């Protein structure tokens, strides 16, 4: 290995290194929802990725220790909601452990395939789960888009340096 001038000594791989690097990566904020046996479940995700245009596929990660995982592990369909910059509180609610995520002031309704659909988001999709791939302490959920609405107004909410933020002009 050749030394590169100005390159600091690299850290060994660890969960802290991964978290530190990804705190510098700005990501869009989504909420993933599903119907569970005891009611709707959901969580805030920054791992949403477009996978394929044909067929229309996306993916997201979910921790197997998350309160939503038992319902998501059995769900045939999930809701994917792109949040706007006006929805920082909603993002925080769905990120908070033990929160009543679907109680007031969260506004939602039952959508296609019985999936909870959040009101006033920039865009939403209902997707059919096609795979759950083990990935360490998470599962990568691969899902095919079956319904959606891209017509919400506003600008996207971002997550950067451990906090929710907005785009700057």
């Amino acid at each position: 290995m050749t030394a590169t001038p100005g390159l600091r000594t690299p850290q060994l791989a660890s969960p802290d290194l991964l978290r530190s690097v990804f705190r510098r990566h700005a990501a869009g904020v989504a909420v993933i929802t599903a119907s569970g046996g005891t009611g709707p479940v959901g969580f805030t995700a920054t791992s949403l990725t477009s996978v394929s245009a044909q067929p229309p596929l996306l993916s997201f990660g979910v921790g197997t220790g998350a309160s939503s995982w038992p319902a998501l592990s059995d769900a045939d369909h999930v809701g994917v909601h792109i949040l706007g910059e006006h929805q920082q509180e909603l993002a925080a609610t769905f990120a908070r452990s033990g929160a009543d995520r679907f109680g007031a002031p969260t506004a939602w309704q039952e959508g296609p395939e019985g999936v909870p659909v959040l009101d006033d988001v920039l865009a939403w999709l209902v997707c059919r789960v096609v795979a759950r791939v083990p990935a360490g302490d998470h599962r990568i959920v691969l899902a095919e888009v079956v319904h959606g609405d891209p017509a919400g107004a506003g600008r996207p909410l971002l997550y950067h340096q451990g906090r929710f933020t907005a785009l700057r002009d």
Side-chain angles (χ1 to χ4, degrees):
M1 183 162 97
T2 304
T4 304
L7 184 66
R8 293 186 242 172
T9 304
Q11 297 178 28
L12 291 175
S14 71
D16 288 339
L17 173 61
L18 184 67
R19 282 188 207 92
S20 294
V21 168
F22 272 87
R23 285 177 65 91
R24 294 178 172 269
H25 174 70
V29 180
V31 168
I32 309 299
T33 62
S35 293
T38 59
V41 299
F43 68 98
T44 299
T46 57
S47 60
L48 182 64
T49 304
S50 172
V51 174
S52 169
Q54 194 55 271
L57 297 172
L58 59 81
S59 70
F60 60 88
V62 57
T64 56
S67 61
S68 299
W69 173 243
L72 285 165
S73 70
D74 289 332
D76 292 327
H77 292 85
V78 295
V80 176
H81 307 83
I82 307 301
L83 300 191
E85 63 187 0
H86 63 287
Q87 294 177 304
Q88 289 186 26
E89 278 304 313
L90 183 67
T93 296
F94 276 84
R96 196 170 23 255
S97 181
D100 181 6
R101 296 173 178 160
F102 290 90
T106 301
W108 65 280
Q109 54 196 298
E110 185 176 310
E113 310 298 338
V115 172
V117 174
L118 302 174
D119 291 351
D120 199 29
V121 294
L122 295 188
W124 61 266
L125 299 167
V126 170
C127 304
R128 181 180 60 81
V129 175
V130 297
R132 295 171 183 88
V133 180
D137 61 356
H138 278 61
R139 294 296 181 268
I140 305 302
V141 177
L142 188 63
E144 183 175 6
V145 175
V146 293
H147 302 283
D149 182 356
R155 294 163 46 109
L157 181 62
L158 300 179
Y159 189 72
H160 182 249
Q161 293 287 19
R163 66 184 182 89
F164 299 112
T165 189
L167 288 174
R168 291 187 212 140
D169 290 329

